[in-house]
Amino acid sequence: QSVLTQPPSASGTPGQRVTISCSGSSSNIGSNYVYWYQQLPGTAPKLLIYRNNQRPSGVPDRFSGSKSGTSASLAIGGLRSEDEADYYCAAWDDSLSGPVFGTGTKVTVL
Amino acid sequence: EVQLVESGGGLVQPGGSLRLSCTASGFTFSNFWIHWVRQAPGKGLVWVSRINTDGSYTSYADSVKGRFTISRDNAKNTLYLQMNSLRAEDTAVYYCARVGDYDHPPDYWGQGTLVTVSS
C-alpha cells in the first residue's frame, strides 16, 4: 500500500537529465527525511540517497535529491544506459510508525 | 561488507505456515533495528514489520498483524519472520533490511526470498 506518489515512468537519452517526483503528506515527507532507492531488474533495492540529499559512498554524484514541504525529487544527470531501473522514494510515516514507499518510477534510457 | 541473506521461502498452500530467516554479517547485528519489507510480483515495496535491537519491541503492518511474528537471535545474528494463516495476497519477495537510523527507512537490504501462496 504505497502512500507516496511517483510518476510511473520517465525517460531520456544518454547524457540527458531526468527528474523523478515523489509526493507525500505531513505525516511522512512533511516531517521526516526522504530516501531514494534504485532497483535493477531481479535485484534488491539499493540505497541511492538518504536524509533528503546525502549520497552513500560509491554512489555517483550524477544522482542528487531534494525536498520541499511534502514533496521530494530525485535527479539523474548525465543519464547512462546502466541507469535503466525502477526508482523508489521512501520516508518514515509517523501515523504508521513504519516506513512508507513510493509507487515506483521506471526509468528508460532511449 | 554488510550482508543480509534471507532463506526459507517457497510454495505453501493457503492457510499454511512458513518461517523466513535472515542471517547478517559484516556489522554488529545487535546494534541495529531490522525490518521486513515485501514486494508482490510486478508491484512496489510494502513495509511488513520491524524489531528493535534486543527484540523487546515489535510492530506490524495491519495487513499481517495477528498472523506474522518477527523475532531475532542476536547470538546467531539471525532475524526471523514466522508467517501463519497465509493468504494468496501474501505472495511476494520478502526482504530483510537494516535501519541505520532509528525511525528512518532502511539502508542495506538482503537479496530477498520468494514466498508463493497457492493451491
Side-chain angles (χ1 to χ4, degrees):
Chain A
Q1 296 73 7
S2 300
V3 178
L4 307 180
T5 302
Q6 299 177 232
S9 64
S11 63
T13 56
Q16 278 191 326
R17 177 184 174 90
V18 168
T19 301
I20 301 168
S21 61
C22 174
S23 178
S25 68
S26 58
S27 66
N28 41 67
I29 293 179
S31 52
N32 295 294
Y33 288 111
V34 177
Y35 283 49
W36 288 91
Y37 304 95
Q38 178 192 59
Q39 187 174 34
L40 297 169
T43 69
K46 170 193 166 186
L47 183 64
L48 274 183
I49 298 288
Y50 67 100
R51 290 182 177 248
N52 300 338
N53 55 20
Q54 302 300 300
R55 283 185 309 277
S57 60
V59 173
D61 60 7
R62 303 185 294 106
F63 294 92
S64 61
S66 64
K67 171 187 149 176
S68 178
T70 58
S71 295
S73 63
L74 172 73
I76 309 173
L79 197 63
R80 303 176 66 162
S81 58
E82 57 260 39
D83 297 333
E84 277 208 346
D86 293 325
Y87 293 82
Y88 292 91
C89 58
W92 191 262
D93 190 282
D94 296 329
S95 300
L96 177 65
S97 287
V100 288
F101 296 91
T103 48
T105 299
K106 182 174 183 59
V107 169
T108 302
V109 181
L110 302 171
Chain B
E1 178 193 6
V2 172
Q3 283 201 317
L4 297 161
V5 179
E6 302 91 338
S7 60
L11 175 64
V12 60
Q13 291 189 336
S17 298
L18 211 55
R19 188 176 84 154
L20 306 183
S21 299
C22 167
T23 302
S25 61
F27 66 101
T28 305
F29 181 70
S30 58
N31 287 351
F32 290 86
W33 290 60
I34 310 288
H35 293 227
W36 286 101
V37 178
R38 69 185 181 184
Q39 186 172 33
K43 302 297 185 181
L45 301 165
V46 177
W47 175 72
V48 173
S49 180
R50 66 172 175 153
I51 188 167
N52 70 342
T53 55
D54 66 3
S56 60
Y57 173 86
T58 61
S59 66
Y60 302 90
D62 286 345
S63 58
V64 306
K65 202 172 295 182
R67 300 188 299 122
F68 289 13
T69 302
I70 189 173
S71 62
R72 66 192 296 164
D73 184 338
N74 286 343
K76 295 182 178 179
N77 286 352
T78 302
L79 173 78
Y80 303 100
L81 185 68
Q82 178 66 43
M83 304 185 296
N84 299 331
S85 302
L86 282 162
R87 307 166 180 167
E89 54 265 35
D90 295 318
T91 294
V93 174
Y94 284 74
Y95 297 100
C96 62
R98 191 191 83 165
V99 173
D101 287 308
Y102 171 72
D103 281 2
H104 282 228
D107 53 4
Y108 286 94
W109 300 62
Q111 87 290 348
T113 187
L114 176 62
V115 172
T116 303
V117 184
S118 174
S119 54

